[in-house]
Coordinates of all heavy atoms in Angstrom, one line a residue:
M1 N -18.0 -9.1 -17.6 CA -16.5 -8.9 -17.3 C -15.9 -10.2 -17.0 O -16.4 -11.0 -16.2 CB -16.4 -7.9 -16.1 CG -14.9 -7.6 -15.8 SD -14.7 -6.5 -14.4 CE -15.3 -4.9 -15.1
N2 N -14.8 -10.6 -17.7 CA -14.2 -11.8 -17.5 C -13.3 -11.8 -16.3 O -13.0 -10.7 -15.7 CB -13.4 -12.3 -18.7 CG -12.2 -11.5 -19.1 OD1 -11.6 -10.9 -18.2 ND2 -12.0 -11.4 -20.4
A3 N -12.8 -12.9 -15.8 CA -12.0 -13.0 -14.6 C -10.7 -12.2 -14.7 O -10.3 -11.5 -13.8 CB -11.6 -14.4 -14.3
A4 N -10.0 -12.2 -15.9 CA -8.8 -11.4 -16.0 C -9.0 -9.9 -15.9 O -8.3 -9.2 -15.3 CB -8.1 -11.8 -17.4
S5 N -10.1 -9.4 -16.6 CA -10.3 -8.0 -16.5 C -10.8 -7.6 -15.1 O -10.5 -6.5 -14.7 CB -11.3 -7.6 -17.6 OG -12.6 -8.2 -17.4
N6 N -11.5 -8.5 -14.4 CA -12.0 -8.2 -13.1 C -10.8 -8.1 -12.2 O -10.7 -7.2 -11.3 CB -12.9 -9.3 -12.6 CG -13.5 -9.0 -11.3 OD1 -13.8 -7.9 -10.9 ND2 -13.7 -10.0 -10.4
A7 N -9.8 -9.0 -12.3 CA -8.6 -9.0 -11.5 C -7.8 -7.7 -11.8 O -7.3 -7.1 -10.9 CB -7.7 -10.2 -11.8
A8 N -7.7 -7.4 -13.1 CA -7.0 -6.1 -13.5 C -7.7 -4.9 -12.9 O -7.0 -4.0 -12.4 CB -6.9 -6.0 -15.0
G9 N -9.0 -4.9 -12.8 CA -9.8 -3.8 -12.2 C -9.5 -3.7 -10.7 O -9.3 -2.6 -10.2
K10 N -9.4 -4.8 -10.0 CA -9.0 -4.8 -8.6 C -7.6 -4.3 -8.4 O -7.3 -3.5 -7.5 CB -9.3 -6.1 -8.0 CG -10.8 -6.4 -7.8 CD -11.0 -7.7 -7.0 CE -12.5 -7.9 -7.0 NZ -12.8 -9.1 -6.1
D11 N -6.7 -4.7 -9.3 CA -5.3 -4.2 -9.2 C -5.3 -2.7 -9.4 O -4.5 -2.0 -8.8 CB -4.4 -5.0 -10.3 CG -4.2 -6.4 -9.9 OD1 -4.6 -6.9 -8.8 OD2 -3.6 -7.1 -10.7
D12 N -6.1 -2.2 -10.4 CA -6.1 -0.8 -10.6 C -6.6 -0.1 -9.4 O -6.1 1.0 -9.1 CB -7.0 -0.5 -11.8 CG -6.4 -0.9 -13.2 OD1 -5.1 -1.1 -13.2 OD2 -7.1 -1.0 -14.2
E13 N -7.6 -0.6 -8.7 CA -8.1 0.0 -7.5 C -7.0 0.1 -6.4 O -6.9 1.1 -5.8 CB -9.3 -0.8 -6.9 CG -10.6 -0.7 -7.7 CD -11.7 -1.6 -7.1 OE1 -11.6 -1.9 -5.9 OE2 -12.5 -2.0 -7.9
I14 N -6.2 -1.0 -6.3 CA -5.1 -1.0 -5.3 C -4.1 0.1 -5.7 O -3.6 0.8 -4.9 CB -4.5 -2.4 -5.3 CG1 -5.5 -3.4 -4.7 CG2 -3.2 -2.3 -4.4 CD1 -5.0 -4.8 -4.8
L15 N -3.8 0.2 -7.0 CA -2.8 1.2 -7.5 C -3.4 2.6 -7.3 O -2.6 3.5 -6.9 CB -2.5 0.9 -9.0 CG -1.6 -0.3 -9.3 CD1 -1.6 -0.6 -10.8 CD2 -0.2 0.0 -8.8
D16 N -4.7 2.8 -7.4 CA -5.3 4.1 -7.1 C -5.1 4.5 -5.7 O -4.8 5.6 -5.3 CB -6.7 4.1 -7.5 CG -7.0 4.2 -9.0 OD1 -6.0 4.4 -9.8 OD2 -8.1 3.9 -9.4
T17 N -5.3 3.5 -4.8 CA -5.1 3.7 -3.4 C -3.6 4.0 -3.1 O -3.4 4.9 -2.3 CB -5.5 2.4 -2.6 OG1 -6.9 2.2 -2.8 CG2 -5.3 2.6 -1.1
I18 N -2.7 3.3 -3.7 CA -1.3 3.6 -3.5 C -1.0 5.0 -4.0 O -0.3 5.7 -3.2 CB -0.4 2.5 -4.3 CG1 -0.5 1.2 -3.6 CG2 1.0 3.0 -4.4 CD1 0.1 0.0 -4.4
S19 N -1.5 5.4 -5.1 CA -1.3 6.8 -5.6 C -1.7 7.8 -4.6 O -1.0 8.8 -4.3 CB -1.9 7.0 -6.9 OG -1.3 6.2 -7.9
A20 N -2.9 7.6 -4.0 CA -3.5 8.6 -3.1 C -2.6 8.6 -1.8 O -2.4 9.7 -1.2 CB -4.9 8.2 -2.7
L21 N -2.2 7.4 -1.3 CA -1.4 7.4 -0.1 C 0.0 8.0 -0.4 O 0.5 8.7 0.5 CB -1.2 5.9 0.3 CG -2.4 5.3 0.9 CD1 -2.2 3.8 1.1 CD2 -2.8 5.9 2.3
V22 N 0.6 7.8 -1.5 CA 1.9 8.4 -1.9 C 1.7 9.9 -1.9 O 2.6 10.7 -1.4 CB 2.4 7.9 -3.2 CG1 3.6 8.8 -3.7 CG2 2.9 6.4 -3.1
A23 N 0.7 10.4 -2.5 CA 0.4 11.9 -2.5 C 0.3 12.4 -1.1 O 0.9 13.5 -0.7 CB -0.8 12.2 -3.3
E24 N -0.4 11.7 -0.2 CA -0.5 12.2 1.2 C 0.8 12.1 1.9 O 1.2 13.0 2.7 CB -1.6 11.3 1.9 CG -1.8 11.8 3.3 CD -2.9 11.1 4.1 OE1 -3.5 10.2 3.5 OE2 -3.1 11.4 5.2
E25 N 1.6 11.1 1.6 CA 2.9 10.9 2.3 C 3.8 12.1 1.8 O 4.5 12.7 2.7 CB 3.5 9.6 1.9 CG 4.9 9.4 2.5 CD 5.6 8.1 2.0 OE1 5.4 7.8 0.8 OE2 6.2 7.5 2.8
R26 N 3.8 12.4 0.6 CA 4.6 13.6 0.1 C 4.2 14.9 0.7 O 5.0 15.7 1.1 CB 4.5 13.7 -1.4 CG 5.2 12.7 -2.2 CD 5.2 13.0 -3.7 NE 5.9 11.9 -4.4 CZ 5.5 11.4 -5.5 NH1 4.4 11.8 -6.1 NH2 6.1 10.4 -6.1
T27 N 2.9 15.1 0.8 CA 2.4 16.3 1.5 C 2.9 16.4 2.9 O 3.4 17.4 3.3 CB 0.9 16.4 1.4 OG1 0.4 16.4 0.1 CG2 0.3 17.6 2.1
L28 N 2.8 15.3 3.6 CA 3.2 15.3 5.0 C 4.7 15.5 5.1 O 5.2 16.3 6.0 CB 2.8 14.0 5.7 CG 1.3 13.9 6.1 CD1 1.0 12.4 6.4 CD2 1.0 14.8 7.2
R29 N 5.5 14.9 4.3 CA 6.9 15.0 4.3 C 7.4 16.5 3.9 O 8.3 17.0 4.5 CB 7.6 14.0 3.4 CG 7.5 12.6 3.9 CD 8.4 11.6 3.2 NE 8.2 10.3 3.6 CZ 8.7 9.8 4.8 NH1 9.4 10.5 5.6 NH2 8.4 8.5 5.1
E30 N 6.7 17.1 2.9 CA 7.0 18.4 2.6 C 6.6 19.4 3.7 O 7.4 20.3 4.1 CB 6.1 18.9 1.3 CG 6.7 18.3 0.1 CD 5.7 18.5 -1.1 OE1 4.7 19.3 -1.0 OE2 6.0 17.9 -2.2
R31 N 5.5 19.1 4.4 CA 5.1 19.9 5.5 C 6.2 19.8 6.6 O 6.5 20.8 7.3 CB 3.7 19.5 6.0 CG 3.1 20.5 6.9 CD 1.7 20.2 7.3 NE 0.9 19.9 6.1 CZ -0.2 19.0 6.1 NH1 -0.5 18.4 7.3 NH2 -0.9 18.8 5.1
S32 N 6.7 18.6 6.8 CA 7.7 18.3 7.8 C 8.9 19.1 7.6 O 9.5 19.7 8.5 CB 8.0 16.8 7.9 OG 9.1 16.6 8.7
S33 N 9.4 19.1 6.3 CA 10.6 19.8 6.0 C 10.5 21.3 6.0 O 11.4 22.1 6.4 CB 11.2 19.4 4.6 OG 10.3 19.7 3.6
E34 N 9.3 21.8 5.7 CA 9.0 23.2 5.7 C 8.9 23.8 7.1 O 9.3 24.9 7.4 CB 7.7 23.6 4.9 CG 7.9 23.4 3.4 CD 6.5 23.4 2.7 OE1 5.5 23.7 3.3 OE2 6.5 23.2 1.4
N35 N 8.3 23.0 8.0 CA 8.0 23.4 9.3 C 9.0 22.8 10.3 O 8.8 23.0 11.5 CB 6.6 23.0 9.7 CG 5.5 23.7 8.9 OD1 5.7 24.7 8.4 ND2 4.4 23.0 8.7
L36 N 10.0 22.2 9.9 CA 11.0 21.6 10.7 C 10.4 20.6 11.7 O 10.7 20.5 12.9 CB 11.8 22.6 11.5 CG 12.5 23.7 10.7 CD1 13.1 24.7 11.6 CD2 13.6 23.0 9.9
G37 N 9.5 19.8 11.1 CA 8.9 18.7 11.9 C 7.4 18.7 11.8 O 6.8 19.6 11.3
L38 N 6.8 17.6 12.3 CA 5.4 17.5 12.3 C 4.9 17.4 13.8 O 5.6 16.9 14.6 CB 5.0 16.2 11.6 CG 5.3 16.1 10.1 CD1 5.0 14.7 9.6 CD2 4.5 17.1 9.3
G39 N 3.6 17.7 14.0 CA 3.0 17.5 15.3 C 2.8 16.1 15.5 O 2.9 15.2 14.6
S40 N 2.5 15.7 16.7 CA 2.3 14.3 17.0 C 1.2 13.6 16.2 O 1.3 12.5 15.8 CB 2.0 14.1 18.5 OG 0.9 14.8 18.9
D41 N 0.1 14.3 15.9 CA -1.0 13.8 15.1 C -0.5 13.5 13.7 O -0.8 12.5 13.1 CB -2.2 14.7 15.1 CG -3.0 14.8 16.4 OD1 -2.7 13.9 17.2 OD2 -3.8 15.7 16.5
E42 N 0.3 14.5 13.1 CA 0.8 14.3 11.8 C 1.8 13.2 11.7 O 1.9 12.5 10.7 CB 1.4 15.6 11.3 CG 0.3 16.7 11.0 CD 0.9 18.0 10.6 OE1 1.8 18.5 11.3 OE2 0.4 18.6 9.6
Q43 N 2.6 13.1 12.7 CA 3.6 12.0 12.8 C 2.9 10.6 12.8 O 3.3 9.7 12.1 CB 4.5 12.1 14.0 CG 5.5 13.3 13.9 CD 6.3 13.4 15.2 OE1 6.1 12.7 16.2 NE2 7.2 14.4 15.2
A44 N 1.9 10.5 13.6 CA 1.1 9.3 13.6 C 0.5 9.0 12.3 O 0.4 7.9 11.8 CB 0.1 9.4 14.7
R45 N -0.1 10.0 11.6 CA -0.7 9.8 10.3 C 0.3 9.4 9.3 O 0.1 8.5 8.5 CB -1.4 11.1 9.9 CG -2.1 11.0 8.5 CD -3.1 9.9 8.5 NE -3.5 9.6 7.1 CZ -4.1 8.5 6.7 NH1 -4.3 7.5 7.5 NH2 -4.4 8.4 5.4
L46 N 1.5 10.0 9.3 CA 2.6 9.6 8.4 C 2.9 8.2 8.6 O 3.1 7.4 7.6 CB 3.8 10.5 8.6 CG 5.0 10.2 7.7 CD1 4.6 10.3 6.2 CD2 6.1 11.2 8.0
R47 N 3.1 7.7 9.8 CA 3.4 6.3 10.1 C 2.3 5.4 9.6 O 2.6 4.4 9.0 CB 3.7 6.1 11.6 CG 4.1 4.7 11.9 CD 5.4 4.4 11.3 NE 5.7 2.9 11.5 CZ 6.1 2.1 10.6 NH1 6.4 2.5 9.4 NH2 6.3 0.8 10.9
S48 N 1.1 5.8 9.8 CA -0.1 5.0 9.3 C -0.1 4.9 7.8 O -0.3 3.8 7.3 CB -1.4 5.7 9.8 OG -2.5 5.0 9.3
V49 N 0.2 6.0 7.1 CA 0.3 6.0 5.7 C 1.4 5.1 5.2 O 1.2 4.3 4.3 CB 0.5 7.4 5.1 CG1 0.9 7.4 3.7 CG2 -0.8 8.3 5.3
E50 N 2.5 5.1 5.9 CA 3.7 4.3 5.5 C 3.3 2.8 5.6 O 3.6 2.0 4.7 CB 4.9 4.6 6.3 CG 5.5 5.9 6.0 CD 6.5 6.3 7.1 OE1 6.6 5.8 8.2 OE2 7.3 7.2 6.7
V51 N 2.6 2.4 6.7 CA 2.2 1.0 6.9 C 1.1 0.6 5.9 O 1.2 -0.4 5.3 CB 1.6 0.9 8.3 CG1 1.0 -0.5 8.5 CG2 2.7 1.0 9.4
Q52 N 0.2 1.5 5.6 CA -0.9 1.2 4.6 C -0.2 1.0 3.2 O -0.7 0.1 2.5 CB -1.9 2.3 4.5 CG -2.8 2.4 5.8 CD -3.7 3.6 5.7 OE1 -4.5 3.7 4.7 NE2 -3.7 4.4 6.7
L53 N 0.8 1.8 2.9 CA 1.5 1.7 1.6 C 2.1 0.3 1.5 O 2.0 -0.4 0.5 CB 2.5 2.8 1.4 CG 2.0 4.1 0.8 CD1 3.1 5.1 1.0 CD2 1.6 3.8 -0.6
D54 N 2.8 -0.1 2.6 CA 3.5 -1.4 2.6 C 2.4 -2.5 2.4 O 2.7 -3.5 1.7 CB 4.2 -1.6 3.9 CG 5.5 -0.8 4.0 OD1 5.9 -0.2 3.0 OD2 6.0 -0.6 5.1
Q55 N 1.3 -2.4 3.1 CA 0.2 -3.4 3.0 C -0.3 -3.4 1.5 O -0.6 -4.5 1.0 CB -0.9 -3.1 4.0 CG -0.5 -3.4 5.4 CD -1.7 -3.0 6.3 OE1 -2.1 -1.8 6.4 NE2 -2.1 -3.9 7.1
C56 N -0.5 -2.3 0.9 CA -1.0 -2.2 -0.4 C -0.1 -2.9 -1.4 O -0.5 -3.7 -2.3 CB -1.3 -0.8 -0.9 SG -2.8 -0.1 -0.1
W57 N 1.2 -2.5 -1.3 CA 2.2 -3.1 -2.2 C 2.3 -4.6 -2.0 O 2.4 -5.4 -2.9 CB 3.6 -2.5 -2.0 CG 3.8 -1.1 -2.6 CD1 4.0 0.0 -2.0 CD2 3.7 -0.8 -4.0 NE1 4.1 1.1 -2.9 CE2 3.9 0.5 -4.2 CE3 3.5 -1.6 -5.1 CZ2 3.9 1.2 -5.4 CZ3 3.5 -1.0 -6.4 CH2 3.7 0.4 -6.5
D58 N 2.2 -5.1 -0.7 CA 2.3 -6.5 -0.4 C 1.0 -7.2 -1.1 O 1.2 -8.2 -1.7 CB 2.3 -6.7 1.1 CG 2.2 -8.2 1.4 OD1 3.1 -8.9 1.1 OD2 1.1 -8.6 2.0
L59 N -0.1 -6.6 -0.9 CA -1.3 -7.2 -1.5 C -1.2 -7.3 -3.0 O -1.6 -8.3 -3.6 CB -2.6 -6.4 -1.1 CG -3.9 -6.8 -1.7 CD1 -4.2 -8.3 -1.2 CD2 -5.0 -5.9 -1.2
L60 N -0.7 -6.2 -3.6 CA -0.6 -6.2 -5.1 C 0.4 -7.3 -5.5 O 0.2 -8.0 -6.5 CB -0.1 -4.8 -5.6 CG -0.1 -4.6 -7.1 CD1 -1.5 -4.7 -7.6 CD2 0.4 -3.2 -7.4
R61 N 1.5 -7.4 -4.8 CA 2.5 -8.5 -5.1 C 1.9 -9.9 -5.0 O 2.1 -10.8 -5.8 CB 3.7 -8.4 -4.2 CG 4.7 -7.3 -4.6 CD 6.0 -7.4 -3.9 NE 5.9 -7.2 -2.5 CZ 5.9 -6.0 -1.9 NH1 6.1 -4.9 -2.6 NH2 5.8 -5.9 -0.6
Q62 N 1.1 -10.1 -3.9 CA 0.4 -11.4 -3.7 C -0.5 -11.7 -4.9 O -0.6 -12.8 -5.4 CB -0.5 -11.3 -2.5 CG 0.2 -11.4 -1.1 CD -0.8 -11.4 0.0 OE1 -1.6 -12.3 0.1 NE2 -0.8 -10.4 0.8
R63 N -1.3 -10.7 -5.3 CA -2.3 -10.8 -6.4 C -1.6 -11.2 -7.7 O -2.0 -12.1 -8.4 CB -3.2 -9.6 -6.5 CG -4.1 -9.3 -5.4 CD -5.0 -8.1 -5.7 NE -5.7 -8.2 -6.9 CZ -6.8 -8.9 -7.1 NH1 -7.4 -9.5 -6.1 NH2 -7.4 -8.9 -8.3
R64 N -0.5 -10.5 -8.0 CA 0.2 -10.7 -9.2 C 0.9 -12.1 -9.2 O 0.9 -12.8 -10.2 CB 1.2 -9.6 -9.4 CG 0.6 -8.3 -9.8 CD 1.5 -7.2 -10.0 NE 0.8 -6.0 -10.5 CZ 1.4 -4.8 -10.6 NH1 2.7 -4.7 -10.3 NH2 0.7 -3.8 -11.1
A65 N 1.4 -12.5 -8.1 CA 2.0 -13.9 -8.0 C 1.0 -14.9 -8.2 O 1.2 -15.9 -8.9 CB 2.7 -14.0 -6.6
K66 N -0.2 -14.8 -7.5 CA -1.3 -15.8 -7.7 C -1.7 -15.8 -9.2 O -1.9 -16.9 -9.7 CB -2.5 -15.5 -6.8 CG -2.2 -15.8 -5.3 CD -3.4 -15.6 -4.5 CE -3.1 -16.0 -3.1 NZ -2.9 -17.4 -2.9
S67 N -1.9 -14.7 -9.8 CA -2.2 -14.7 -11.2 C -1.2 -15.4 -12.1 O -1.5 -16.2 -13.0 CB -2.4 -13.3 -11.7 OG -3.6 -12.7 -11.2
E68 N 0.1 -15.1 -11.8 CA 1.2 -15.7 -12.6 C 1.2 -17.2 -12.5 O 1.6 -17.9 -13.5 CB 2.5 -15.1 -12.1 CG 3.7 -15.6 -12.9 CD 5.0 -14.9 -12.4 OE1 5.0 -13.9 -11.7 OE2 6.1 -15.5 -12.7
F69 N 0.8 -17.7 -11.3 CA 0.9 -19.2 -11.2 C -0.5 -19.8 -11.3 O -0.7 -21.0 -10.8 CB 1.6 -19.5 -9.8 CG 3.0 -19.1 -9.8 CD1 3.5 -17.9 -9.3 CD2 3.9 -19.9 -10.5 CE1 4.8 -17.6 -9.3 CE2 5.3 -19.6 -10.5 CZ 5.7 -18.4 -10.0
G70 N -1.4 -19.1 -11.9 CA -2.7 -19.8 -12.2 C -3.7 -19.9 -11.1 O -4.7 -20.6 -11.1
E71 N -3.4 -19.2 -10.0 CA -4.3 -19.2 -8.8 C -5.2 -18.0 -8.9 O -5.0 -17.0 -9.7 CB -3.5 -19.1 -7.5 CG -2.6 -20.3 -7.3 CD -1.7 -20.3 -6.1 OE1 -2.2 -19.6 -5.1 OE2 -0.6 -20.8 -6.1
N72 N -6.2 -18.0 -8.1 CA -7.2 -16.9 -8.0 C -6.6 -15.7 -7.2 O -6.4 -15.8 -6.0 CB -8.5 -17.4 -7.3 CG -9.6 -16.3 -7.3 OD1 -9.3 -15.2 -7.7 ND2 -10.7 -16.7 -6.9
P73 N -6.4 -14.6 -7.9 CA -5.8 -13.4 -7.2 C -6.7 -12.8 -6.1 O -6.3 -12.2 -5.2 CB -5.6 -12.4 -8.3 CG -6.4 -12.8 -9.4 CD -6.6 -14.3 -9.3
D74 N -8.0 -13.1 -6.2 CA -9.0 -12.7 -5.2 C -8.8 -13.4 -3.9 O -9.4 -13.0 -2.8 CB -10.4 -12.8 -5.7 CG -10.7 -11.9 -6.8 OD1 -10.0 -10.8 -6.9 OD2 -11.6 -12.2 -7.6
E75 N -8.0 -14.4 -3.8 CA -7.7 -15.1 -2.6 C -6.6 -14.4 -1.8 O -6.3 -14.8 -0.6 CB -7.3 -16.6 -2.9 CG -8.5 -17.4 -3.4 CD -8.1 -18.8 -3.8 OE1 -6.9 -19.2 -3.7 OE2 -9.0 -19.6 -4.1
A76 N -5.9 -13.5 -2.4 CA -4.9 -12.7 -1.7 C -5.6 -11.8 -0.7 O -6.8 -11.4 -0.9 CB -4.1 -11.8 -2.7
A77 N -5.0 -11.6 0.4 CA -5.6 -10.8 1.5 C -4.6 -9.8 2.1 O -3.3 -10.1 2.1 CB -6.1 -11.7 2.6
V78 N -5.1 -8.7 2.6 CA -4.2 -7.8 3.3 C -3.7 -8.4 4.6 O -4.4 -9.0 5.4 CB -5.0 -6.5 3.7 CG1 -4.2 -5.5 4.5 CG2 -5.6 -5.8 2.5
R79 N -2.4 -8.4 4.7 CA -1.7 -9.0 5.9 C -1.6 -7.9 7.0 O -1.5 -6.7 6.7 CB -0.3 -9.5 5.5 CG -0.4 -10.6 4.5 CD 1.0 -11.2 4.3 NE 1.3 -11.3 2.9 CZ 2.0 -12.3 2.4 NH1 2.4 -13.3 3.1 NH2 2.3 -12.2 1.1
P80 N -1.6 -8.3 8.2 CA -1.5 -7.4 9.3 C -0.2 -6.6 9.3 O 0.9 -7.1 8.8 CB -1.6 -8.2 10.6 CG -1.3 -9.6 10.2 CD -1.6 -9.7 8.7
P81 N -0.2 -5.4 9.9 CA 1.1 -4.6 9.9 C 2.2 -5.3 10.5 O 3.4 -5.2 10.0 CB 0.7 -3.4 10.7 CG -0.8 -3.2 10.5 CD -1.3 -4.6 10.4
S82 N 2.0 -6.1 11.5 CA 3.1 -6.8 12.2 C 3.8 -7.8 11.2 O 5.0 -7.9 11.3 CB 2.6 -7.6 13.4 OG 1.6 -8.5 13.0
E83 N 3.1 -8.3 10.3 CA 3.7 -9.3 9.3 C 4.3 -8.5 8.2 O 5.5 -8.8 7.8 CB 2.6 -10.2 8.8 CG 3.1 -11.3 7.9 CD 2.1 -12.3 7.5 OE1 1.0 -12.4 8.2 OE2 2.3 -13.0 6.5
V84 N 3.7 -7.5 7.7 CA 4.2 -6.7 6.5 C 5.4 -5.9 6.9 O 6.4 -5.8 6.2 CB 3.1 -5.8 5.9 CG1 3.7 -4.9 4.9 CG2 2.0 -6.6 5.4
E85 N 5.4 -5.3 8.1 CA 6.5 -4.5 8.6 C 7.7 -5.3 9.1 O 8.7 -4.8 9.3 CB 6.0 -3.6 9.7 CG 5.0 -2.6 9.3 CD 5.5 -1.6 8.2 OE1 6.4 -0.8 8.5 OE2 5.0 -1.7 7.1
G86 N 7.5 -6.6 9.2 CA 8.5 -7.5 9.7 C 9.4 -8.1 8.6 O 10.3 -8.8 8.9
Y87 N 9.1 -7.7 7.3 CA 9.9 -8.3 6.2 C 11.3 -7.8 6.3 O 11.6 -6.7 6.7 CB 9.3 -7.8 4.9 CG 8.0 -8.4 4.4 CD1 7.3 -7.8 3.5 CD2 7.6 -9.6 5.0 CE1 6.1 -8.4 3.0 CE2 6.4 -10.2 4.6 CZ 5.7 -9.6 3.6 OH 4.5 -10.1 3.2
Q88 N 12.2 -8.7 6.0 CA 13.6 -8.4 5.9 C 14.0 -8.4 4.5 O 13.9 -9.4 3.8 CB 14.5 -9.4 6.7 CG 14.1 -9.4 8.2 CD 14.5 -8.1 8.9 OE1 15.6 -7.6 8.7 NE2 13.6 -7.7 9.7
G89 N 14.5 -7.3 3.9 CA 14.8 -7.2 2.5 C 16.1 -7.5 2.3 O 16.9 -7.9 1.6

């Protein structure tokens, strides 16, 4: 497997994780609207899923930027929630 296909494979893994987290987020949000809210455990899980999604998207952006500029995408790393959640858009 060459470096480009290896990087694409890792990107696909990240996208698979994102898909699974999005599905879980949707399920929790649907449950919330159907039941007029979530229990404290479900609220905590929803917040955790949201943070993990932000981290995954950030990692994917880092990897793609490194690839675009000829750097090794495997040098990208998951950033802590405090950094990822602190972004100002």
Side-chain angles (χ1 to χ4, degrees):
M1 182 181 288
N2 67 32
S5 62
N6 187 35
K10 288 186 181 183
D11 289 354
D12 287 344
E13 288 177 28
I14 295 168
L15 287 168
D16 288 345
T17 300
I18 288 170
S19 293
L21 289 167
V22 166
E24 184 176 0
E25 180 185 37
R26 282 187 186 138
T27 299
L28 286 166
R29 290 191 185 284
E30 286 172 7
R31 196 174 310 151
S32 173
S33 63
E34 290 170 2
N35 298 330
L36 301 174
L38 296 173
S40 60
D41 288 346
E42 289 175 316
Q43 288 175 0
R45 180 60 190 156
L46 179 58
R47 182 65 187 133
S48 174
V49 167
E50 291 169 342
V51 170
Q52 289 176 58
L53 274 168
D54 289 343
Q55 288 176 303
C56 286
W57 282 118
D58 175 66
L59 178 60
L60 191 59
R61 282 190 296 272
Q62 286 182 62
R63 290 181 57 80
R64 289 177 174 172
K66 286 187 176 293
S67 287
E68 183 178 342
F69 292 99
E71 297 177 32
N72 182 353
D74 291 335
E75 292 176 357
V78 175
R79 296 187 232 217
S82 59
E83 188 173 340
V84 174
E85 295 298 293
Y87 286 163
Q88 299 293 316

